[in-house]
């Protein structure tokens, strides 16, 4: 809440890079967590989908790997709100 909008992406990228420099193998768990945060509000729009793929790309994951993680998280955790499907 205290971070200016224009610095959010930069700070996010630094945080992800720091985590991955510590343990590159955490990228799948990290993308799963981020995906969970995106779908928790029971709404999913194109910007959020693009965000997931951009983050996965930043983590050096292939589109196939990102899709598998995304699909797994949707299967396990996503129950759309009635408002979002009507």
């Amino acid at each position: 809440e205290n971070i200016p909008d224009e610095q959010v992406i930069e700070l996010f990228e630094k945080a992800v890079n720091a985590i991955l420099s510590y343990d590159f193998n955490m990228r799948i768990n990290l993308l799963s967590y981020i995906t969970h945060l995106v779908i928790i509000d029971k709404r999913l729009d194109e910007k959020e989908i693009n965000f997931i793929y951009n983050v996965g790309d930043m983590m050096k994951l292939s589109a196939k790997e990102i899709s598998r993680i995304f699909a797994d998280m949707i299967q396990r955790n996503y129950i759309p709100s009635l408002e979002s499907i009507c």
Side-chain angles (χ1 to χ4, degrees):
E1 292 177 7
N2 297 326
I3 302 169
D5 289 345
E6 62 274 1
Q7 293 179 0
V8 170
I9 298 296
E10 179 183 343
L11 182 61
F12 179 79
E13 287 177 359
K14 284 182 182 179
V16 167
N17 287 329
I19 291 168
L20 295 179
S21 71
Y22 175 73
D23 185 355
F24 189 70
N25 294 321
M26 289 184 65
R27 60 199 178 126
I28 291 173
N29 291 337
L30 188 55
L31 187 62
S32 294
Y33 176 72
I34 292 167
T35 303
H36 180 71
L37 292 178
V38 167
I39 65 175
I40 203 163
D41 67 354
K42 299 182 180 188
R43 295 178 184 266
L44 195 55
D45 63 31
E46 188 174 349
K47 282 176 49 178
E48 292 172 320
I49 294 168
N50 290 336
F51 173 73
I52 295 299
Y53 278 87
N54 289 336
V55 170
D57 187 53
M58 184 172 55
M59 294 180 186
K60 309 287 189 254
L61 291 165
S62 69
K64 188 175 184 176
E65 290 171 306
I66 298 165
S67 296
R68 284 184 180 161
I69 293 165
F70 202 10
D72 182 56
M73 292 304 294
I74 288 172
Q75 284 179 320
R76 287 201 261 152
N77 300 297
Y78 183 63
I79 302 170
S81 69
L82 290 177
E83 294 172 1
S84 69
I85 58 176
C86 294

